[in-house]
Amino acid sequence: MENHATSMYMPTEKAKHEHPSLVTKRSVKFTKKEDHPTVTINGLKEGIDQPDCPPVNDHDLHKATTFVKDAKAGRNFKFKLDKVSLDFYDTYNRWYFVYLLYFFLFVIMALALFEDPAITNLELPIWTTMTIEFVCLCYFLFRLAHSKRCMSGIFWMGDIKNWIVLSVSVITLIDMVVYVILINKGKPWIRIVRILRPLFMMNFKETKDLRQAFRNIRRSLLGILSVLVLLFLVIGLFALLAREIFEDDVLLKPDASNYMSDYFENFWDLYVLVTTANSPDIMMPAYDASPWYMLFYIIYVILCIYIFMSIFLAVIYKDYRKHLKNEVQKSVFVKRRNLVYAWDLLKVWRGGAFVMPWQRWHALMKSVEPSKSILQLKLIWKVLDKDEDNNIDKRAFMKTADILNVKIIEKSRYVPIWEKHFPRVYNSAASQIIVKGIKHKFFGWFFDLLIILNAGLIAFRISSIEWFFLTIFSLEIVFKLYALGFYRYFTNPWDVFDFTVIVLAVILSIAAKAAKDSNTLEQRSLDIILVLRVLRLVRIFNNFEKFQVIMKTLRNIGPSIFSFGGVILVIYYVYAIIGMELFAGKITYYGYPSEETTETFNKSLLYCGNQKLNGTEFYRDHYCNNNFNNVAKAYITLFELTIVNQWHVITSGFVAVTSKAARLYFLCFHITLVIIIINIFIAFILEVFMVEYSLSKSSFESEIEKKIEELGLRAKFENNNFTDRTNLTPHMEVEDGPAGLSNEDLDLAKFQLGKSSNSVQSILQNMFEGELDEEDIGPTDIEDLDLLDPDQTDSAPFPFTLDNVV
């Protein structure tokens, strides 16, 4: 008896176009002979085991490898599945092409340093900067063309990022041509198109962390703006009240102008007060007139600073966290779908279920991670194969990408080079006594004490025995290199820090002694050396457990900080370009002549080269170097505005040389960066810090470490952080087989987890790990997850799971 049916899973048109060999309409055939049912799905028979694992053809292995690599790297690229396109895609992801992209992105952003208005002595000819910019644009267009060759056409055309890069490239090329023509005719032309350059940084697939940060900020703006509008309404109300309360008393400011008599001036002064930059200056005229007037400011400060700004941070935290979770969910869905595609290519039917045997998994891993040794792959397999039957199911396979991102180090990497090449000498009794002494905790304490003593002598300017300390600390480096070997020494950040400080100090000392003008150079070098040596005190903090946790947390959130650093850099760049176009040449630093030399000083250079600054607080406080005459000075000025203190004084200088409309520029910058971006950054760091502080290891690191312990394969530390993990646990009897670790392997198979170098994505995944369904791979009706609505992730009607995707 035979029956035929068609499965209920119907792929969308996009899915058919993207992965025709993976998501096709499935034909199912049921056969019953002698009461033994057999189910055949596209040639894979359920009910008939495949004990001899059939070989995987090279093309399927290539496709599966590409899917796993994309899952591991967190890439969402809709590549075509034919052999030529896969080869192009492999080339597209080569490290040198990726780093070339980063290089040209850096170059095109750095061009502003050399373009008019350029940093002094750094300005390049127009044809030079134009040529460099043209080369950058050519590479960007080459990357676009390369991606189009290996991506499904419908997805490439539908990706707005590609069109943004293409549009900005075309606009920039047109602007370059117009600029050259007009400059040659002697007509000025403002290259405001330079403001679009950051769009290149945000719209390549390789800069997804930066793009993700901006997307989260953009989606959080609606909730932020509602609170911001309410804050402005309150400031406007108090500005009106201030005019009505203080106008009749005819109070005067210190510069003899009327106090709180103009509504828009009141609004500006009260907004500045929210930033505390003009406190208590703005209050003093009212306070001098009557202490009761202070009630107005007390109520205003409590309401706007302590209540509204706290609510503002809470709203930012809530909205941003929601959208951040959505981004993490999309990334997880992309990773899981890629792994499902790879699973479908390599699975076989055994024992009543689809599984992946060791042979296929091993072939896949050798293609995905060719640098991993067979021992490391066997260890990872042990973690996945919990039943120890040399097969893994789909749920186990779905952990592959995350486990591959865990750094596993074999014991052989830690064997000092001296032990490898001179084992008799290194393992001799005398040598081992020296090694044990170096690894003993008292060795570290002794040098920590010397660092403190050296710092004390530096504090009292006793430098006559500097060479003694340099010699002692140099010997410390030699001893550690002998005991630990180069690999172990230079993978410890604190040892690298020590090595850098001491080597620089020795080089500077030798250079100072060898120089002809030795006295001057030696004194300058000694100052630098002393500063470097004092920095070694930081190393002592690592000996205290509480400091270790904090330092580890700071190290792990580093990638997140760099991601937001990119956001701030983009904001700075945009406002710097606008600022240079608006204010370049308005204020210039020429020095500040004393009263005696004012008469002889060039009149045109007085008051920052602008007579309008005569008598202003800006000139009186010597702020002339805060200008927008080149991109470097613009960045420094914007940095000072970010700090907030005295930002209204800097603003007043540019208002004096232009008009009050200049306040809009500085107000927009303050709202954009200080109020929105910095608060979002604070909310993000708070969340990440709490997660990193509470989680010492990810779940996947814990699984690997547990398996290492079970198999007796851990290479252990001694009590101090200078020793190698060479106290090995007794060998355990482990079964030998296709994926087994034989006793013969165990002599070399000693492992430890390396220091985690968490990516931004892994940190975010840890943040929401407990809130993500481990089986969910996204809504069934959306193939391109970039189109996923933020609200849809919270209430998807019927999600893809590992059970309903065959």
Side-chain angles (χ1 to χ4, degrees):
M1 180 179 67
E2 295 188 3
N3 290 302
H4 297 269
T6 302
S7 68
M8 295 301 293
Y9 175 69
M10 298 293 291
T12 64
E13 290 301 317
K14 284 187 177 181
K16 292 177 182 179
H17 189 275
E18 179 193 358
H19 300 303
S21 65
L22 294 181
V23 284
T24 57
K25 189 175 178 181
R26 289 177 167 84
S27 174
V28 184
K29 177 183 178 182
F30 300 88
T31 306
K32 184 176 181 181
K33 294 182 179 181
E34 298 179 358
D35 297 325
H36 181 74
T38 299
V39 183
T40 305
I41 303 178
N42 279 4
L44 290 175
K45 293 187 177 181
E46 297 186 7
I48 299 179
D49 285 356
Q50 297 171 278
D52 297 326
C53 182
V56 183
N57 67 69
D58 291 340
H59 186 48
D60 282 348
L61 182 61
H62 193 179
K63 287 187 288 186
T65 299
T66 307
F67 283 125
V68 174
K69 283 183 177 179
D70 276 11
K72 183 174 177 289
R75 289 192 290 260
N76 183 22
F77 198 100
K78 310 298 182 181
F79 54 87
K80 291 184 283 191
L81 294 174
D82 60 278
K83 185 181 185 306
V84 176
S85 297
L86 286 175
D87 291 337
F88 268 101
Y89 187 54
D90 288 341
T91 307
Y92 180 85
N93 290 320
R94 297 287 184 188
W95 66 268
Y96 41 83
F97 281 123
V98 175
Y99 279 99
L100 266 178
L101 175 63
Y102 294 150
F103 171 75
F104 283 116
L105 286 173
F106 170 79
V107 169
I108 200 168
M109 294 293 290
L111 268 181
L113 297 171
F114 310 98
E115 296 171 321
D116 183 41
I119 296 176
T120 307
N121 300 324
L122 288 184
E123 185 171 359
L124 295 175
I126 294 175
W127 66 267
T128 303
T129 56
M130 289 291 177
T131 302
I132 294 173
E133 189 170 10
F134 180 74
V135 171
C136 293
L137 293 177
C138 287
Y139 188 77
F140 298 154
L141 294 174
F142 162 74
R143 287 293 285 180
L144 277 186
H146 198 166
S147 67
K148 190 176 188 308
R149 177 60 188 83
C150 47
M151 179 184 270
S152 299
I154 187 172
F155 285 105
W156 195 94
M157 299 295 289
D159 192 341
I160 188 65
K161 297 187 293 297
N162 297 327
W163 291 106
I164 290 175
V165 173
L166 185 60
S167 301
V168 174
S169 299
V170 172
I171 292 171
T172 303
L173 287 171
I174 295 172
D175 177 67
M176 291 167 62
V177 172
V178 173
Y179 180 76
V180 170
I181 293 173
L182 293 179
I183 288 296
N184 288 333
K185 290 183 177 182
K187 297 180 180 179
W189 177 257
I190 298 175
R191 289 206 65 200
I192 196 66
V193 171
R194 293 187 297 172
I195 202 174
L196 300 178
R197 288 175 181 171
L199 291 175
F200 289 121
M201 291 181 61
M202 294 184 288
N203 287 285
F204 280 103
K205 294 185 180 298
E206 291 79 5
T207 57
K208 62 185 173 100
D209 291 334
L210 182 62
R211 183 170 60 254
Q212 182 186 77
F214 269 106
R215 189 160 55 220
N216 291 336
I217 291 169
R218 174 174 55 82
R219 289 173 175 171
S220 304
L221 284 179
L222 186 60
I224 293 172
L225 289 178
S226 60
V227 180
L228 199 59
V229 168
L230 186 59
L231 175 63
F232 281 166
L233 289 175
V234 172
I235 294 175
L237 175 62
F238 273 85
L240 184 62
L241 289 174
R243 190 185 67 180
E244 299 302 320
I245 292 173
F246 302 119
E247 188 176 29
D248 293 340
D249 289 345
V250 194
L251 303 178
L252 298 177
K253 294 181 181 178
D255 61 359
S257 61
N258 290 329
Y259 181 77
M260 292 291 177
S261 60
D262 182 88
Y263 176 76
F264 293 104
E265 285 293 325
N266 294 354
F267 188 94
W268 172 256
D269 289 335
L270 290 176
Y271 178 81
V272 174
L273 181 58
V274 172
T275 70
T276 71
N278 61 351
S279 176
D281 300 3
I282 193 63
M283 308 177 191
M284 296 313 297
Y287 186 31
D288 292 340
S290 171
W292 290 103
Y293 282 152
M294 284 302 295
L295 288 174
F296 171 85
Y297 286 105
I298 291 172
I299 295 171
Y300 176 79
V301 167
I302 292 174
L303 185 62
C304 291
I305 298 180
Y306 296 110
I307 296 179
F308 262 104
M309 296 310 291
S310 299
I311 293 174
F312 193 81
L313 180 60
V315 170
I316 285 177
Y317 181 82
K318 175 182 174 294
D319 287 353
Y320 185 75
R321 191 179 190 278
K322 170 188 173 183
H323 296 296
L324 189 63
K325 178 183 176 182
N326 170 61
E327 290 293 335
V328 175
Q329 283 182 314
K330 288 198 296 186
S331 300
V332 172
F333 293 161
V334 167
K335 176 183 67 177
R336 291 175 180 174
R337 288 190 179 187
N338 281 327
L339 290 171
V340 166
Y341 294 147
W343 167 266
D344 285 338
L345 287 163
L346 301 180
K347 65 186 178 183
V348 299
W349 182 264
R350 284 184 181 175
F354 283 115
V355 296
M356 185 176 296
W358 156 257
Q359 293 87 343
R360 291 196 168 200
W361 186 87
H362 178 243
L364 176 64
M365 290 303 104
K366 291 306 292 182
S367 184
V368 172
E369 289 281 358
S371 61
K372 285 194 180 295
S373 69
I374 184 63
L375 296 177
Q376 289 178 320
L377 293 180
K378 286 184 177 182
L379 174 63
I380 295 173
W381 179 260
K382 282 290 186 181
V383 174
L384 299 175
D385 183 17
K386 297 187 181 298
D387 296 334
E388 299 185 357
D389 60 354
N390 288 321
N391 296 298
I392 58 173
D393 59 14
K394 180 180 284 187
R395 281 181 174 77
F397 180 77
M398 297 296 284
K399 299 178 181 179
T400 299
D402 293 304
I403 289 182
L404 287 176
N405 283 322
V406 177
K407 187 176 181 181
I408 304 173
I409 302 174
E410 294 181 38
K411 172 206 168 186
S412 58
R413 298 287 297 274
Y414 283 92
V415 176
I417 190 173
W418 334 108
E419 185 177 4
K420 288 181 179 178
H421 296 287
F422 310 102
R424 286 190 177 182
V425 176
Y426 186 85
N427 293 318
S428 65
S431 174
Q432 287 304 300
I433 291 174
I434 295 173
V435 170
K436 287 182 179 179
I438 295 170
K439 292 179 178 181
H440 200 280
K441 59 185 178 182
F442 288 117
F443 181 87
W445 291 355
F446 172 73
F447 280 96
D448 288 345
L449 182 62
L450 285 182
I451 291 173
I452 296 173
L453 177 61
N454 187 212
L457 294 176
I458 291 173
F460 290 101
R461 298 185 178 275
I462 302 174
S463 58
S464 56
I465 57 173
E466 279 304 307
W467 274 103
F468 168 76
F469 283 104
L470 278 179
T471 303
I472 292 296
F473 290 135
S474 298
L475 287 175
E476 178 195 13
I477 292 174
V478 173
F479 288 147
K480 284 188 180 181
L481 285 172
Y482 178 76
L484 307 179
F486 288 98
Y487 181 83
R488 179 62 187 281
Y489 183 86
F490 286 107
T491 52
N492 186 324
W494 293 107
D495 286 338
V496 173
F497 175 75
D498 281 350
F499 180 85
T500 304
V501 169
I502 298 303
V503 168
L504 284 176
V506 171
I507 292 173
L508 288 173
S509 299
I510 294 173
K513 292 292 183 183
K516 293 181 179 179
D517 187 11
S518 59
N519 290 333
T520 303
L521 183 58
E522 185 172 1
Q523 184 57 46
R524 291 179 179 176
S525 300
L526 184 61
D527 293 338
I528 298 174
I529 292 167
L530 295 180
V531 171
L532 292 174
R533 297 283 292 283
V534 170
L535 288 176
R536 295 195 74 203
L537 286 171
V538 178
R539 193 191 81 175
I540 298 177
F541 295 150
N542 196 50
N543 294 331
F544 299 96
E545 184 178 353
K546 289 295 182 182
F547 285 119
Q548 286 177 0
V549 174
I550 294 174
M551 297 298 287
K552 177 180 179 296
T553 303
L554 290 175
R555 185 186 74 242
N556 288 343
I557 66 176
S560 310
I561 294 175
F562 284 127
S563 179
F564 266 93
V567 173
I568 293 173
L569 177 65
V570 168
I571 300 296
Y572 269 35
Y573 183 88
V574 171
Y575 276 93
I577 296 297
I578 296 174
M580 287 191 295
E581 299 297 346
L582 293 176
F583 307 119
K586 302 289 185 183
I587 297 173
T588 306
Y589 171 73
Y590 294 112
Y592 306 100
S594 61
E595 293 182 5
E596 294 78 10
T597 60
T598 300
E599 295 298 326
T600 59
F601 200 78
N602 189 331
K603 301 299 182 183
S604 64
L605 305 183
L606 281 172
Y607 313 116
C608 310
N610 196 316
Q611 294 296 319
K612 294 179 179 179
L613 291 174
N614 185 9
T616 62
E617 189 177 2
F618 183 93
Y619 181 76
R620 205 164 49 242
D621 290 343
H622 292 186
Y623 282 0
C624 294
N625 247 326
N626 296 324
N627 55 59
F628 291 87
N629 294 343
N630 58 59
V631 71
K633 286 185 176 294
Y635 272 33
I636 292 173
T637 303
L638 293 173
F639 176 74
E640 293 180 355
L641 292 171
T642 305
I643 298 174
V644 174
N645 189 38
Q646 295 291 83
W647 75 282
H648 64 297
V649 177
I650 298 175
T651 303
S652 69
F654 291 94
V655 168
V657 299
T658 54
S659 68
K660 289 184 178 180
R663 287 176 176 171
L664 290 175
Y665 170 86
F666 294 94
L667 181 65
C668 289
F669 176 78
H670 186 268
I671 292 172
T672 303
L673 190 69
V674 180
I675 291 187
I676 297 178
I677 304 297
I678 297 299
N679 274 299
I680 287 177
F681 179 70
I682 291 172
F684 179 79
I685 291 301
L686 284 173
E687 180 71 15
V688 175
F689 188 87
M690 286 187 288
V691 171
E692 284 296 311
Y693 196 87
S694 59
L695 293 177
S696 59
K697 295 183 179 67
S698 71
S699 59
F700 301 105
E701 288 177 319
S702 300
E703 285 191 48
I704 294 177
E705 200 159 51
K706 181 180 178 181
K707 182 58 65 175
I708 291 174
E709 292 283 4
E710 289 178 1
L711 298 175
L713 303 180
R714 169 176 292 284
K716 291 186 176 180
F717 273 118
E718 293 177 11
N719 290 332
N720 70 83
N721 62 344
F722 302 133
T723 62
D724 196 1
R725 297 188 178 184
T726 52
N727 283 349
L728 307 180
T729 56
H731 292 176
M732 295 176 60
E733 292 294 330
V734 185
E735 74 280 2
D736 201 1
L741 291 172
S742 65
N743 289 331
E744 192 174 291
D745 290 332
L746 285 171
D747 288 330
L748 294 176
K750 298 295 177 181
F751 304 97
Q752 71 169 87
L753 297 188
K755 292 184 181 294
S756 60
S757 54
N758 292 342
S759 65
V760 177
Q761 199 58 47
S762 63
I763 291 174
L764 296 178
Q765 198 166 324
N766 283 341
M767 288 171 60
F768 301 105
E769 192 170 23
E771 302 178 36
L772 299 177
D773 184 351
E774 65 176 12
E775 298 183 14
D776 190 1
I777 59 175
T780 56
D781 55 340
I782 297 179
E783 293 296 333
D784 187 359
L785 289 172
D786 286 335
L787 304 176
L788 186 62
D789 188 276
D791 297 323
Q792 194 167 348
T793 59
D794 293 331
S795 57
F798 182 71
F800 268 152
T801 68
L802 302 185
D803 290 327
N804 60 32
V805 178
V806 179

